[in-house]
Amino acid sequence: MSDTTKPRIGISACLLGAEVRFNGGHKESRLCTHALAEHFDFVPVCPEVAIGLGIPRQPIRLVGEPGRPLALGTVDASLDVTAPLAAYGQQMAGELDDLCGYIFMHKSPSCGLERVKVYRDNGAPQHDGGRGIYAEAFCAARPDLPVEEDGRLCDAVLRENFMVRVYAYADWQALLREGLSRGGLMRFHSRYKYQLMANNPLQYKVLGKLLGTMGRGDAAEIGPRYFSELMAALKRCATRGTHSNVLQHLSGYLKRSLDNADKQEVQHLIEQYRLGIVPLVVPLTLLKHHFRVHPDPYVSQQVYLQPHPENLSLRNAI
Ligand code: SF4
């Protein structure tokens, strides 16, 4: 992806302020319309409007088994839009093949990803929640695509994690455009070393072993498996502990370049970060400064140093 190309992100249309809800209203997310809009090319979709339910319309809700609910009208339960919503989810998963992520509206019987209320036939809510019908069909068809709900993006750690995955997905699309090769895959994995160590240290080794089994001509077969496992590994959120470990590893590359006072300052800030006194950006900025003065070719290619645009300021909040 060039610097000027913004990743395309699918989004529930009501989150962008479109008045498409059952009552003619919207659910604008200012995070999406302000902070994120500058960085992403949003593709708004309202599945309920797309399948022909008008605005306004009777609300629908999920009814039945939480794992396999139906989407029925709340006023007229004979209105069953389960099949059209699922078919539209499959259709859009195929048509929107250039997306690098999707932000879904939470709690919606069509778009919600988690814990959407599911009711029994007698109207009482079930204990377990379900997933919106459109979201379920879309995600089943695109299991590697990074997806998140608007509400969860208010959490700084989840937001940063989602952005890491979106840009990793875009990075992978760029690699696919070049054509998969053994060397290209090895270089890709090498660039993700410290990002993976932050998210999921065990999987870094597992994925390395997977690539180690790759012979000449195997890249087309191993590549998609590698990518699915990479995306699953990146889903796990990095912690202060794993970030601190990565920062320590990175500081090791500077041990011959820094004097004792500089080394102590680096260690002090890593410790302050580990203890929750300063955000991640603080020790990282100091490390980046030292790597500018004492460049290291292996470290400079690491995605971990800047996995998403700096002006999203995601590491100021974690
Ligand atoms: S949650 Fe989904 S179906 Fe409901 S109004 Fe928003 S985009 Fe449309």
Side-chain angles (χ1 to χ4, degrees), residues 295-317:
D296 180 284
Y298 186 66
V299 171
S300 67
Q301 47 133 19
Q302 288 300 317
V303 166
Y304 181 80
L305 292 182
Q306 199 60 66
H308 28 60
E310 200 162 22
N311 57 355
L312 270 170
S313 303
L314 295 166
R315 286 166 159 185
N316 296 18

Side-chain angles (χ1 to χ4, degrees), residues 144 172 176 180 185 218-229:
D144 296 332
W172 180 257
L176 290 183
L180 277 182
L185 269 173
D218 286 349
E221 193 260 317
I222 298 239
R225 264 172 62 202
Y226 167 82
F227 181 60
S228 289
E229 292 193 28

